[in-house]
């Protein structure tokens, strides 16, 4: 049976998963969900015995069922090949008494690759139906832009334009984007902040003239936002594959429950764990780990989601978020699909910055979700103690999760800590956490020093940037961004 999706805020309009993936967000501002989630369960014995790729095919085949078997197989093969530096894709390694799920073996060394290597392929197949070219436009504070560039580079029928705030990303992040290869990519710095870039991108999406001109030439604009179903679904796979790896190494028996601890920002990664549970994976607790921007910790503890607080810049920047968009999907499932209540809470959030859930819904949430947070000092201390105690080098985002899990008793279940970035992606902060004064050191100097100190090799994706050629030197003003997108479309399509 074909899986159908509709908005979290109304169920009037049903779309296929291909349509949901092309659209990204529902017309009423809600997120696409399916009422069939959990109707068919995966075969656990089969999952435990098979490869990452086979599990990815099963997961996609179940949740995106209007893609044919051949389409799914081609997408999986393209997404998880040589572009990952290990055939295991997301290997599980010991971390003291717990486990580290290494999600950072893709081209940009962070977990977003798992989804962003897949989404473009899903979009490319979906657009074959309507014949349009799709231009992805993204503003980035550093990491997502590069992951989108790598994902969309040279995918047929798609292009990608990324804007970053000039002078406000790290030197390594800048080089990652400025050296991007591919015949369908465009990159520019803008004079302004990330928020300026984001605001302009939203304006471009809403600009009727720009969109009409592009449509006449057969192109539609889209985003690669983490609320897209096509980013959420691929992440379900590694929860299942981690379970398989635990069975295969004898750490658990088939059917045992496993806890997962997830460093969280937009709630996408941890929501994928909830989806895995709905599909029949024996998930014990999903532990939501936050940094000082602990909106989610407070929410899970009190039942009140309150974004009215100071935004704090931390050393785990990809989790510096006050509105966790993907939480809306969980609210939908926790209320058994009560669109009206979900819509009312979201209205309250946007109008007043706060909403409160009733006790019965929170009780239901707490059956699966627990929480905790780590300050920057906790994070640095965890990086240091994990290196000194376990000889495992972890990045600041992973350290937030590790700190939170270390404070909890294990309740007798095996526990998996999701590791979302290679430590070398944040060399300066990791090196400083290990006690080095990094004043005056650039990104490569920090990388070298960290390598020398720990003997852990820096990934080629990052160390190779030293000699890579800069292909995208452009810097533009905010009012030139729309023209930059249009000229990129004209050049690419
Ligand atoms: C995006 C990101 C996160 C947070 O993931 P969400 O899906 O937004 O919760 C954590 N760590 C790293 C390194 C990231 O890039």
């Amino acid at each position: 049976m074909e899986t159908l999706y509709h908005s979290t805020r109304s169920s009037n309009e049903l779309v296929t998963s291909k349509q949901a993936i092309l659209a990204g967000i529902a017309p009423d501002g809600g997120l696409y969900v399916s009422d069939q989630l959990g109707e068919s369960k995966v075969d656990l014995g089969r999952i435990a015995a098979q490869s990452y790729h086979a599990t990815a095919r099963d997961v996609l085949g179940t949740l995106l069922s209007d893609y044919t078997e051949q389409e799914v197989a081609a997408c999986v093969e393209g997404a998880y090949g040589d572009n990952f530096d290990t055939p295991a894709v997301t290997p599980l390694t010991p971390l003291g008494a717990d486990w580290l799920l290494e999600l950072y073996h893709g081209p940009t060394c962070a977990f977003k690759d798992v989804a962003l290597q897949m989404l473009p392929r899903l979009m490319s197949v979906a657009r074959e139906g309507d014949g349009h070219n799709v231009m992805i436009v993204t503003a980035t504070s550093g990491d997502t832009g590069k992951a989108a560039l790598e994902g969309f580079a040279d995918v047929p029928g798609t292009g990608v334009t990324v804007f970053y705030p000039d002078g406000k990303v790290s030197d390594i992040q800048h080089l990652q984007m400025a050296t991007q290869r591919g015949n369908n990519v465009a990159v520019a710095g803008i004079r302004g902040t990330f928020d300026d870039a984001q605001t302009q991108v939203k304006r471009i999406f809403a600009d009727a003239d720009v969109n009409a001109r592009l449509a006449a030439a057969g192109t539609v604009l889209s985003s690669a936002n983490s609320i897209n179903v096509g980013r959420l679904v691929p992440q379900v796979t590694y929860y299942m594959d981690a379970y398989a790896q635990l069975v295969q190494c004898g750490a658990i028996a088939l059917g045992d429950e496993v806890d997962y601890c997830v460093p969280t920002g937009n709630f996408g990664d941890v929501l994928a764990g909830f989806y895995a549970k709905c599909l029949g994976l024996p998930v014990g607790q999903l532990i939501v780990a936050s940094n000082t921007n602990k909106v989610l910790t407070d929410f899970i503890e009190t039942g009140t989601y309150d974004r009215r607080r100071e935004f704090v810049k931390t050393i785990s920047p990809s989790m510096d978020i006050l509105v966790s968009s993907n939480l809306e999907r969980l609210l939908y499932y926790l209320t058994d699909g009560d669109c009206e209540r979900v819509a009312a809470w979201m209205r309250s959030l946007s109008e007043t910055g706060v909403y409160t859930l009733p006790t019965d819904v929170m009780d239901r949430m707490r059956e699966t979700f627990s929480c905790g947070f780590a300050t920057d000092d906790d994070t640095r201390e965890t990086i240091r103690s994990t290196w000194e105690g376990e000889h495992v080098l972890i990045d600041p985002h992973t350290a937030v999760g590790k700190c939170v899990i270390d404070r909890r008793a294990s309740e007798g279940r095996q526990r998996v800590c999701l590791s979302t970035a290679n430590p070398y992606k944040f060399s300066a902060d990791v090196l400083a956490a290990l006690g080095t004064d990094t004043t005056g050191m650039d990104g490569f100097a920090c990388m070298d020093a960290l390598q020398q100190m720990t003997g852990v090799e820096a990934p080629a994706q990052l160390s190779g940037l030293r000699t890579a050629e800069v292909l995208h030197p452009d810097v533009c003003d905010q009012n030139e961004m729309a023209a930059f997108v249009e000229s990129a479309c004209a050049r690419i399509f």
Side-chain angles (χ1 to χ4, degrees):
M1 188 179 48
E2 189 164 275
T3 323
L4 293 171
Y5 285 80
H6 63 77
S7 167
T8 41
R9 302 182 193 177
S10 77
S11 55
N12 301 337
E13 205 178 316
L14 292 174
V15 299
T16 64
S17 59
K18 284 182 180 173
Q19 290 168 327
I21 284 169
L22 284 178
I25 192 162
D28 64 1
L31 277 58
Y32 282 113
V33 284
S34 170
D35 292 337
Q36 288 138 291
L37 175 68
E39 265 176 21
S40 69
K41 308 279 184 197
V42 293
D43 176 342
L44 200 57
R46 175 183 153 107
I47 296 287
Q50 70 187 4
S51 70
Y52 189 97
H53 299 80
T55 297
R57 289 195 294 271
D58 285 354
V59 168
L60 268 59
T62 304
L63 295 175
L64 310 175
S65 62
D66 56 322
Y67 286 80
T68 67
E69 239 175 83
Q70 290 82 346
E71 286 170 345
V72 165
C75 287
V76 169
E77 196 171 322
Y80 309 124
D82 289 348
N83 45 346
F84 278 72
D85 64 18
T86 163
V89 187
T90 61
L92 190 73
T93 52
L95 178 68
D98 302 315
W99 301 89
L100 198 68
L101 181 60
E102 299 181 0
L103 303 175
Y104 53 72
H105 289 272
T108 78
C109 303
F111 97 101
K112 289 190 176 66
D113 288 333
V114 179
L116 277 168
Q117 288 294 307
M118 175 61 76
L119 173 70
R121 292 175 167 83
L122 295 172
M123 275 189 172
S124 181
V125 170
R127 64 158 278 286
E128 278 166 17
D130 67 13
H132 279 105
N133 295 311
V134 181
M135 173 55 91
I136 301 296
V137 184
T138 298
T140 183
S141 56
D143 279 341
T144 306
K146 174 62 179 176
L149 285 166
E150 279 291 344
F152 283 91
D154 292 330
V155 172
T158 74
V160 54
T161 306
V162 169
F163 295 106
Y164 64 89
D166 185 42
K168 296 190 179 66
V169 300
S170 79
D171 42 3
I172 302 275
Q173 285 173 328
H174 171 245
L175 277 176
Q176 278 192 300
M177 293 186 275
T179 60
Q180 178 66 45
R181 295 179 167 282
N183 290 322
N184 63 342
V185 305
V187 180
I190 67 129
R191 295 183 191 93
T193 63
F194 166 66
D195 284 333
D196 294 332
Q198 181 95 306
T199 304
Q200 285 304 325
V201 166
K202 283 188 185 150
R203 281 211 188 122
I204 294 170
F205 280 126
D207 187 321
D209 293 340
V210 171
N211 283 283
R213 279 196 296 273
L214 292 175
T219 300
V220 291
L221 299 179
S222 186
S223 77
N225 199 298
S226 80
I227 56 171
N228 195 305
V229 176
R231 274 187 66 176
L232 183 60
V233 169
Q235 297 179 328
V236 176
T237 304
Y238 50 71
Y239 284 87
M240 305 225 173
D241 188 69
Y243 192 91
Q245 293 186 65
L246 285 171
V247 171
Q248 285 162 19
C249 75
I252 58 168
L254 203 64
D256 287 353
E257 286 192 342
V258 172
D259 291 349
Y260 295 84
C261 179
V262 191
T264 307
N266 226 342
F267 207 77
D269 199 2
V270 69
L271 184 71
F274 178 76
Y275 275 44
K277 181 171 183 161
C278 294
L279 291 179
L281 190 72
V283 173
Q285 285 286 297
L286 290 168
I287 303 157
V288 178
S290 301
N291 63 23
T292 302
N293 296 295
K294 59 180 183 61
V295 194
L296 285 167
T297 312
D298 295 343
F299 169 61
I300 294 170
E301 280 173 354
T302 66
T304 295
Y305 193 103
D306 190 350
R307 60 174 280 191
R308 300 169 303 175
R309 61 182 74 204
E310 195 193 340
F311 174 86
V312 183
K313 271 180 91 82
T314 72
I315 60 168
S316 43
S318 299
M319 296 158 61
D320 289 344
I321 283 173
L322 293 182
V323 177
S324 301
S325 317
N326 265 301
L327 186 61
E328 183 171 342
R329 285 196 167 99
L330 182 65
L331 301 185
Y332 177 82
Y333 289 113
L334 290 176
T335 56
D336 294 319
D338 191 334
C339 293
E340 272 176 39
R341 281 164 101 196
V342 174
W345 291 324
M346 291 303 114
R347 207 159 39 238
S348 171
L349 180 65
S350 82
E351 283 166 10
T352 66
V354 59
Y355 62 88
T356 300
L357 294 195
T359 322
D360 60 318
V361 179
M362 285 313 296
D363 286 346
R364 226 172 144 184
M365 178 165 187
R366 293 187 192 111
E367 284 169 18
T368 304
F369 291 88
S370 39
C371 62
F373 76 100
T375 64
D376 273 358
D377 279 344
D378 296 334
T379 306
R380 280 188 281 263
E381 170 55 24
T382 304
I383 293 172
R384 192 190 60 74
S385 63
T386 305
W387 173 248
E388 288 173 3
E390 327 282 355
H391 235 65
V392 175
L393 195 62
I394 55 176
D395 98 289
H397 303 81
T398 308
V400 168
K402 165 84 169 131
C403 176
V404 168
I405 211 176
D406 281 350
R407 289 193 189 130
R408 299 170 54 91
S410 87
E411 304 181 49
R413 291 184 289 267
Q414 292 294 316
R415 307 190 302 180
V416 174
C417 222
L418 272 59
S419 181
T420 51
N422 184 295
Y424 280 98
K425 197 146 192 196
F426 301 93
S427 294
D429 286 315
V430 173
L431 186 63
L434 297 183
T436 300
D437 179 1
T438 57
T439 320
M441 292 170 74
D442 74 4
F444 292 115
C446 291
M447 209 183 277
D448 289 342
L450 191 56
Q451 197 161 244
Q452 204 150 32
M453 176 189 249
T454 62
V456 177
E457 205 179 327
Q461 298 96 305
L462 298 179
S463 59
L465 290 171
R466 219 179 298 240
T467 53
E469 188 189 348
V470 170
L471 303 169
H472 309 281
D474 295 308
V475 177
C476 67
D477 285 327
Q478 290 166 45
N479 60 15
E480 297 169 327
M481 287 166 63
F484 186 85
V485 172
E486 286 194 72
S487 75
C489 289
R491 172 172 60 80
I492 292 165
F493 301 123

